[in-house]
Amino acid sequence: MAAPNYPAWVTRWVSGQWRQKKRPPVIRPTRPLVLADKVANRREQAGEATCITEMSVMMACWKQSDFNDTACAEEIQTFYDCVAKAEKERKSQNKEDVLSPRGNLTSSQVNKLLRRFPQITRYV
């Protein structure tokens, strides 16, 4: 009795050849898959300008009084108070390790974390 004659696809399926063609390629990384010890220091994005209206009022007063400080003492003091308040807020915000408004860590915060938790590249 002769062996049954199956279609070619059945023979490939039974022999496992179909698995070899569908297997994804092997990817070998060129470098070890480990985080670096530090990240590049990038300049922080400039925040929004503060005290713009107070500065505009002060300059308008100066222009009207031919740049006489005594005539614009109140506007100058208002501007200096605003600047001091903004500087105090900025310093208090810098002291806290908080996320940026977009929710990202700054490069200095990332470096601090990487120093705190170094990468283990080999096992003892």
Side-chain angles (χ1 to χ4, degrees), residues 16-60:
Q17 290 178 0
W18 64 277
R19 275 185 254 136
Q20 294 173 354
K21 292 181 181 177
K22 301 284 185 185
R23 189 173 299 153
V26 177
I27 299 173
R28 293 183 182 87
T30 57
R31 299 180 189 153
L33 299 175
V34 190
L35 288 177
D37 292 333
K38 63 181 180 176
V39 295
N41 286 327
R42 294 191 312 177
R43 193 176 334 160
E44 304 302 323
Q45 290 184 357
E48 59 184 66
T50 55
C51 305
I52 297 295
T53 55
E54 289 84 354
M55 185 171 54
S56 299
V57 169
M58 180 183 69
M59 289 184 172

Side-chain angles (χ1 to χ4, degrees), residues 19 91 107 120:
R19 275 185 254 136
K91 283 186 178 180
S107 58
I120 299 172

Side-chain angles (χ1 to χ4, degrees), residues 4 14 33 35 55 66 80 84 117:
V14 171
L33 299 175
L35 288 177
M55 185 171 54
D66 293 328
Y80 282 147
F117 304 104

